[in-house]
Amino acid sequence: MRPITLPDVPYDATAVRPHWSDLPDGVREAISRRLGSPVSAARSAGGGFTRAFAAVLETAAGTRVFVKAAPQTDPVSQWYAREAALTAALPPEVTAARPLWTMTESDWFVLCLEAIDGRIPELPWSPEDLDAALRTWSAAATALAHPSPHLLGIGMPTLPEIIRDEMSWWSLIAARRAPMPEPALATIAPHRLTDLARLERALPALAAGDGMCHGDLRVDNVLIDRDGRAWLCDWTWPCLGAPWFDTVTLMVSAYASGRDTDAVLRAWGAPDEGVDGALAALAGYWLTRAGDGPSSASPHSRQHQRFSGEQALAWLAERRGWDGAPGKRRWFRR
């Protein structure tokens, strides 16, 4: 079994969010009125990388909901409005919280969702949690293989478009249109740049598809409830493409957990070159973002990106049989 590699900060403790008391008085009063009873307790979501409000609220009458809120001047408010529309239109086979209502108050947008009594899976992944997450995603992918006209009407980019526009960093670096990011310097990337760019360029055609993908399927967008069932959260970035791409994204943290990730992907019928291209593109995106300056969203976002990028690159190197560069063997971080 491979060495287990853990991130510097657990995924249930990455968020830096405003507390209930930090919301404007008018927003808190409007939410309480809509809930029909004063809010008696608020527990902020520990996972995630935005600074927007997200918390489980309990009222004096016993109501329990999950509320997200952001100023309308903040782009996050548009993400929440999009999430409300998308989750309302998901088929019943998709295990995800549904919106109860939305509102605007004092120039804030508020989304109220069903509260899921669950936890983010702890790393390293346990076999039970990983199996639950994969079962839930498999059922969702099957149900979303042919999205409804309502879902399609909301509008979604295609996965190939996203790859070309946002996830082609090795190609830019190879063309000397972008520098090699600092977090990639101590990896095999400088020595395999030509290979990485080639895999990246071939990926859009391999990742094309008509199904609806989650678009951001990672460990902290999964909740495991008291019955061991997995729920998929944060449906903000869906796209149209091959569902195995989301499986690759989810399995990067499973690779770091020492799991047999390739066996999982064979069950999904994922093409080998597609998987390698996905790992190359993901590694390039994450390592490039990790090299940016401090994030205004969460002080832990760069750590997440570096960890994920290194693990994606290590998995790819293992699959391709690439040797580490002399003196630069930093595939596994401890």
Side-chain angles (χ1 to χ4, degrees), residues 36-327:
S37 180
V39 172
S40 58
R43 178 170 55 86
S44 292
F49 297 97
T50 68
R51 288 186 178 269
F53 178 81
V56 174
L57 303 182
E58 297 182 16
T59 71
T63 302
R64 191 170 177 272
V65 294
F66 184 54
V67 169
K68 298 182 174 185
Q72 291 186 288
T73 54
D74 189 330
V76 175
S77 66
Q78 300 173 26
W79 304 353
Y80 287 171
R82 180 174 174 78
E83 181 180 4
L86 286 162
T87 49
L90 289 175
E93 295 85 357
V94 178
T95 307
R98 298 314 200 264
L100 300 174
W101 46 263
T102 64
M103 64 182 293
T104 56
E105 175 65 37
S106 304
D107 293 324
W108 279 61
F109 179 83
V110 181
L111 165 61
C112 180
L113 294 152
E114 298 169 326
I116 307 303
D117 187 6
R119 56 176 174 79
I120 293 174
E122 184 179 355
L123 295 184
W125 279 94
S126 70
E128 296 79 13
D129 285 356
L130 185 57
D131 287 348
L134 289 169
R135 284 195 304 271
T136 290
W137 170 231
S138 179
T142 299
L144 295 170
H146 302 286
S148 68
H150 189 174
L151 276 170
L152 292 174
I154 295 170
M156 286 175 274
T158 68
L159 181 54
E161 288 173 338
I162 294 173
I163 293 167
R164 293 189 188 100
D165 295 345
E166 303 176 29
M167 302 180 68
S168 295
W169 285 99
W170 300 128
S171 300
L172 291 174
I173 295 166
R176 299 186 178 182
R177 294 168 56 192
M180 179 68 67
E182 181 278 329
L185 293 175
T187 72
I188 60 171
H191 308 276
R192 292 289 179 175
L193 179 57
T194 300
D195 296 310
L196 291 167
R198 178 183 59 79
L199 288 168
E200 190 180 73
R201 286 193 299 271
L203 177 60
L206 297 170
D210 298 325
M212 176 177 159
C213 301
H214 180 280
D216 195 21
L217 194 59
R218 58 183 199 241
V219 62
D220 56 319
N221 281 339
V222 175
L223 289 178
I224 306 295
D225 67 19
R226 292 179 180 272
D227 296 325
R229 182 170 56 164
W231 295 70
L232 306 180
C233 308
D234 288 344
W235 290 82
T236 308
W237 306 112
C239 59
L240 299 176
W244 56 258
F245 187 93
D246 270 340
T247 313
V248 173
T249 306
L250 177 65
M251 294 302 287
V252 169
S253 58
Y255 175 87
S257 300
R259 299 295 165 195
D260 187 354
T261 46
D262 289 322
V264 169
L265 289 170
R266 284 193 292 272
W268 279 76
D272 286 341
E273 286 294 299
V275 173
D276 290 352
L279 291 171
L282 287 166
Y285 173 78
W286 279 323
L287 291 173
T288 298
R289 293 277 71 86
D292 291 341
S295 171
S296 61
S298 164
H300 307 302
S301 61
R302 303 303 181 219
Q303 166 267 320
H304 153 71
Q305 290 157 347
R306 186 166 194 150
F307 168 78
S308 300
E310 288 180 348
Q311 294 306 305
L313 198 56
W315 183 6
L316 175 61
E318 183 178 297
R319 285 174 54 87
R320 305 290 290 194
W322 291 344
D323 293 329

Side-chain angles (χ1 to χ4, degrees), residues 24-42:
D25 291 345
V27 174
R28 287 188 283 117
E29 292 168 2
I31 291 173
S32 294
R33 284 197 301 271
R34 189 64 182 265
L35 293 176
S37 180
V39 172
S40 58

